[in-house]
Amino acid sequence: MSGFDFSKRDSFGSRMGVIMAAAGSAVGLGNIWRFPYILGENGGGAFLIIYLVIVFAIGIPVMMSELLIGRRSQRNPVGAFRALAPGKPWYLVGMMGIVAAFMILAFYTAVAGWTLEYIYQTLIGGFVGKSSGELTVMFDSFRSESLRPALWFSVFMLATSAIVWGGVRKGIEKSTKIMMPLLFVILILMCIKALTLPGAGKGVEFLFRPDFSKITGNTVLMALGQAFFSLSIGMGTLITYGSYIPKDNKLGSTAVQVSMIDLLVAVLAGVAIFPAVFAFGISPSSGESLTFIVLPGIFQQMTGGMIFAFSFFFLLAIAALTSTISVLEVIVAYFSEQLNMKRRTAIILATGSMFILGISASLSWGMMSNVKLFRLNIFDLFNFTTANILLPLGGLLIVAFLGWFLPGRDSKDELSNAGTLRLRYYSLYRFAVRYLAPLAIALVFLNGLGLLKF
Ligand code: PHE
């Protein structure tokens, strides 16, 4: 058994701090470089409606469940299941979360490192005068180098560790209370600039015009996968954060507010990006090529484009940092509570192992490009396994635990703060965790494995 002194656990100090930390985890690269494109490509407004339904019907119930498990047990994801289901194999769900945390941190921090390279390039004028072909070469050759991607990964990883080193309240809470408002301000300014470009209307149309003909079974599945990744659910990040939430916090409204902030930032990111893409007559694309090739090309044609470019990559870096700290905290909480390490030893060990995994992921197009499993390089393997397997499976098991294992009165007691809150939507929540969410997630799986086709 662990010899960790649980009476000395750190915690969040304020309601605002809880929201900023949890929203910081949720808001990340997933919102800025993935959501806008998925929205535009999959029916705009029509997709937005489906996404909203999924967030409310599945995302929020899963998030509430994680926060509840964490706060009730006051433990890291493994310890939480051990405490709530002693002697049962449920703790394996927590273990799966720890494995997912290592993998996500590795590839996610690698991308975060690229944003630092691009901040640097903006400052030295590295994009100026480059054609889109040249920008493609620039990105590809940067990624296939051995030194720089590893270097930027290391810088980002150390920044992450430095914040976690400060502790839950003085590190995570304090820094997210500064970074999240900053992120909002930058994003709003970028939206204003983008919307005032001539021809911006087409981008807004691409994002929002409802096209119901684009909606298929597959769209629904994509929306579900995106919701899981974007809300940081399914791997215990919110179990860990939940365990630091004070007992008088209303977990239900916290989950709703965090999810709404996450959605808002994703939509605003679309408004900041696509009007600019269309204003310059470029066809939209997604992910890496949009972020690191198309946008730099646009920035350098714009008046004041370098300020826009700097703001954009800085925005990405902050969004990523408030997410990476939440993933590192999962590992650190596990090491210190389950393996009985001092918090600082846990941070050093976690950071050290991340250097090995993360640098390997960073070098997936360079020195490690020959290392492949199932035809995927290390980066793609981590990305694919977490987003498509570990997170949805984790989410499924978490709701199953809540809906079918943990006694209903326990979850009611925790959500109502020991009976002091009137729970208006409890029966809806119960229905979601018992039936709706498990069924919906199971369908995604069967489809993903090719056992069921829509
Ligand atoms: N939610 C983050 C994003 O959208 C990613 C993330 C996933 C963070 C899982 C923590 C846990 O970028």
Side-chain angles (χ1 to χ4, degrees):
M1 264 287 72
S2 150
F4 181 83
D5 182 357
F6 286 97
S7 65
K8 295 221 179 79
R9 267 179 128 252
D10 206 349
S11 68
F12 291 125
S14 67
R15 199 178 146 62
M16 193 51 152
V18 170
I19 302 279
M20 290 299 126
S25 173
V27 170
L29 300 171
N31 301 57
I32 299 172
W33 84 355
R34 192 147 176 267
F35 182 85
Y37 180 75
I38 296 187
L39 178 63
E41 272 292 276
N42 290 281
F47 180 86
L48 198 56
I49 296 169
I50 293 176
Y51 188 78
L52 257 173
V53 171
I54 289 181
V55 167
F56 272 93
I58 300 165
I60 294 176
V62 177
M63 189 182 284
M64 281 168 72
S65 306
E66 284 201 30
L67 295 176
L68 186 166
I69 292 173
R71 192 174 68 173
R72 191 149 192 92
S73 63
Q74 303 282 299
R75 299 282 190 281
N76 65 86
V78 174
F81 284 103
R82 283 208 190 275
L84 299 177
K88 298 276 185 331
W90 284 104
Y91 72 93
L92 292 171
V93 179
M95 293 301 298
M96 214 170 77
I98 307 298
V99 173
F102 274 104
M103 292 186 177
I104 292 183
L105 203 50
F107 80 83
Y108 198 89
T109 311
V111 179
W114 304 346
T115 67
L116 298 182
E117 162 77 13
Y118 274 65
I119 291 177
Y120 168 73
Q121 288 298 336
T122 310
L123 294 175
I124 62 166
F127 315 132
V128 180
K130 288 212 165 68
S131 67
S132 75
E134 286 167 326
L135 287 165
T136 309
V137 172
M138 181 176 152
F139 180 58
D140 288 342
S141 61
F142 160 66
R143 255 202 329 192
S144 49
E145 261 186 49
S146 289
L147 192 62
R148 276 190 304 160
L151 184 78
W152 289 123
F153 165 86
S154 310
V155 172
F156 207 93
M157 191 63 224
L158 288 176
T160 305
S161 308
I163 294 177
V164 173
W165 189 267
V168 174
R169 191 176 303 200
K170 295 209 180 100
I172 295 176
E173 178 172 352
K174 209 168 158 190
S175 66
T176 48
K177 269 163 89 175
I178 299 169
M179 287 193 280
M180 291 305 287
L182 183 62
L183 178 144
F184 243 106
V185 173
I186 298 176
L187 191 56
I188 301 279
L189 292 176
M190 287 186 63
C191 287
I192 295 172
K193 165 88 182 165
L195 288 173
T196 49
L197 291 169
K202 277 217 208 87
V204 177
E205 209 183 304
F206 169 77
L207 276 178
F208 297 115
R209 197 175 55 85
D211 180 355
F212 286 95
S213 71
K214 291 247 178 79
I215 304 293
T216 61
N218 204 41
T219 327
V220 180
L221 304 179
M222 276 184 54
L224 191 73
Q226 172 66 16
F228 264 76
F229 189 77
S230 187
L231 295 172
S232 304
I233 52 184
M235 55 153 288
T237 308
L238 293 162
I239 295 181
T240 310
Y241 273 13
S243 74
Y244 301 131
I245 296 182
K247 285 286 183 191
D248 61 356
N249 188 284
K250 299 177 187 163
L251 295 184
S253 33
T254 297
V256 172
Q257 286 170 27
V258 169
S259 306
M260 291 302 100
I261 294 175
D262 188 63
L263 181 68
L264 184 67
V265 170
V267 170
L268 288 178
V271 173
I273 295 170
F274 285 102
V277 171
F278 280 86
F280 286 90
I282 290 165
S283 67
S285 67
S286 71
E288 296 151 26
S289 66
L290 173 69
T291 309
F292 296 104
I293 297 168
V294 174
L295 289 178
I298 293 171
F299 294 145
Q300 54 143 328
Q301 293 174 45
M302 236 184 225
T303 37
M306 283 306 124
I307 298 174
F308 205 80
F310 179 83
S311 313
F312 178 72
F313 289 112
F314 186 65
L315 178 77
L316 271 176
I318 313 179
L321 187 56
T322 56
S323 298
T324 52
I325 54 180
S326 73
V327 185
L328 180 60
E329 180 60 33
V330 173
I331 303 173
V332 169
Y334 167 71
F335 278 177
S336 53
E337 296 174 11
Q338 297 309 116
L339 309 180
N340 197 22
M341 284 178 200
K342 285 211 180 74
R343 185 174 168 92
R344 300 205 156 161
T345 315
I347 295 173
I348 293 169
L349 190 71
T351 307
S353 23
M354 281 320 300
F355 267 91
I356 300 172
L357 283 178
I359 289 180
S360 308
S362 299
L363 300 182
S364 290
W365 291 266
M367 238 153 67
M368 300 289 221
S369 60
N370 290 326
V371 183
K372 289 202 169 148
L373 199 63
F374 308 116
R375 317 237 299 274
L376 297 172
N377 64 27
I378 300 172
F379 181 101
D380 292 333
L381 187 72
F382 287 173
N383 188 350
F384 180 88
T385 317
T386 50
N388 297 322
I389 301 171
L390 296 178
L391 297 191
L393 188 59
L396 178 64
L397 293 168
I398 287 166
V399 280
F401 177 78
L402 242 288
W404 299 94
F405 183 85
L406 193 73
R409 62 179 163 347
D410 286 13
S411 59
K412 195 164 190 171
D413 182 69
E414 196 59 44
L415 288 178
S416 67
N417 298 352
T420 57
L421 302 174
R422 207 166 63 85
L423 296 179
R424 264 178 298 171
Y425 304 105
Y426 185 74
S427 49
L428 279 180
Y429 166 74
R430 204 63 199 152
F431 175 73
V433 289
R434 276 174 89 91
Y435 306 103
L436 199 60
L439 203 69
I441 305 169
L443 286 180
V444 179
F445 256 119
L446 293 178
N447 182 78
L449 300 175
L451 297 175
L452 192 83
K453 277 285 167 230
F454 285 98

